[in-house]
Amino acid sequence: MIRVGLTGGIGSGKSTVCRLFEELGVNCYDCDSRAKWLMQNDEELRTELIALFGAEIYDEDGVLDRARLAAEVFGNSERLAALNGAVHPAVGRDWERWCEAREAEGVAYAIMESAILFDCGFDSKVDHTVAVLAPEELRIERAAKRDNAPAEVIRQRINAQMSDSEREARAHHTIRNIDIDTLREQVEELHKLFSNEAQ
């Protein structure tokens, strides 16, 4: 089974691209949602988080207190690095298990969606990388509308992420997300490419 990593910055349209791949029958693994699930449900990761942040990080019902955790790492690069050092390997292990299950089902190729694909080394876990790119002003407009946030806040988030030029330089393939019709064409083109390679 071919493994594809898909990445892009805030407002680039990663989720839209994944939805288009899913419409073509492709299995997509969302790192962000899986990380949240694992922090709640993976015993190994829970034990690690309790060791790092204390038992109070989970409430009396065993539910992760996300606000408390956010307060623990906010503005503290060492604490944030410790959190990422626990969560990222857990996601990596989960991805491997997920891929094995998809492969057993006879899936030709599958996609990992991750905003930080290159940042955390997940690109080493895939065969192809795809960067979803869009003009900055369009990204700001989309994200501000989606998150109901001021444009300046979105701009700050963009500046804190890897630049599109670096993503483009590091990715094997790029998708330019300007309008839905050309976006769909690019997705279909890559779908053919990956499907053919998997045969």
Side-chain angles (χ1 to χ4, degrees):
M1 185 185 80
I2 289 170
R3 302 176 183 199
V4 178
L6 188 139
T7 191
I10 185 171
S12 62
K14 290 186 306 301
S15 300
T16 303
V17 170
C18 276
R19 194 167 66 248
L20 292 175
F21 273 109
E22 285 172 337
E23 284 175 12
L24 295 169
V26 181
N27 288 264
C28 294
Y29 176 99
D30 178 355
C31 282
D32 195 39
S33 64
R34 286 303 292 174
K36 287 174 181 157
W37 186 88
L38 290 164
M39 288 164 83
Q40 184 58 55
N41 297 284
D42 184 89
E43 282 306 318
E44 188 179 343
L45 180 55
R46 282 174 68 101
T47 302
E48 212 170 334
L49 293 178
I50 288 168
L52 285 168
F53 302 105
E56 317 77 51
I57 211 72
Y58 292 91
D59 68 18
E60 56 194 25
D61 297 320
V63 176
L64 178 65
D65 186 337
R66 296 191 181 279
R68 183 188 281 266
L69 182 60
E72 283 273 354
V73 301
F74 181 74
N76 187 324
S77 57
E78 283 183 19
R79 300 288 270 167
L80 180 59
L83 174 62
N84 290 337
V87 174
H88 294 167
V91 171
R93 292 190 298 270
D94 188 59
W95 162 249
E96 291 299 333
R97 288 190 296 265
W98 185 88
C99 282
E100 284 168 15
R102 299 295 79 74
E103 202 155 10
E105 293 166 1
V107 165
Y109 80 94
I111 292 174
M112 169 196 271
E113 177 193 348
S114 173
I116 52 173
L117 185 80
F118 295 119
D119 314 64
C120 64
F122 284 161
D123 56 313
S124 67
K125 296 182 176 294
V126 297
D127 306 301
H128 290 269
T129 52
V130 179
V132 182
L133 311 171
E136 187 169 303
E137 291 309 313
L138 185 54
R139 290 173 61 193
I140 291 168
E141 184 186 316
R142 285 174 183 155
K145 189 176 177 183
R146 181 194 68 199
D147 300 345
N148 196 22
E152 197 44 51
V153 170
I154 303 299
R155 198 181 301 277
Q156 286 169 2
R157 287 189 205 161
I158 287 174
N159 291 337
Q161 292 184 333
M162 180 182 285
S163 69
D164 263 5
S165 57
E166 187 175 350
R167 282 192 197 93
E168 184 168 14
R170 294 180 66 170
H172 299 117
H173 312 275
T174 55
I175 287 178
R176 299 196 181 276
N177 181 10
I178 311 294
D179 65 82
I180 192 66
D181 291 330
T182 56
L183 185 64
R184 198 179 294 277
E185 285 171 14
Q186 292 171 86
V187 166
E188 287 172 357
E189 201 174 304
L190 281 177
H191 177 60
K192 281 181 196 163
L193 177 76
F194 299 142
S195 298
N196 289 338
E197 187 179 320
Q199 285 177 358

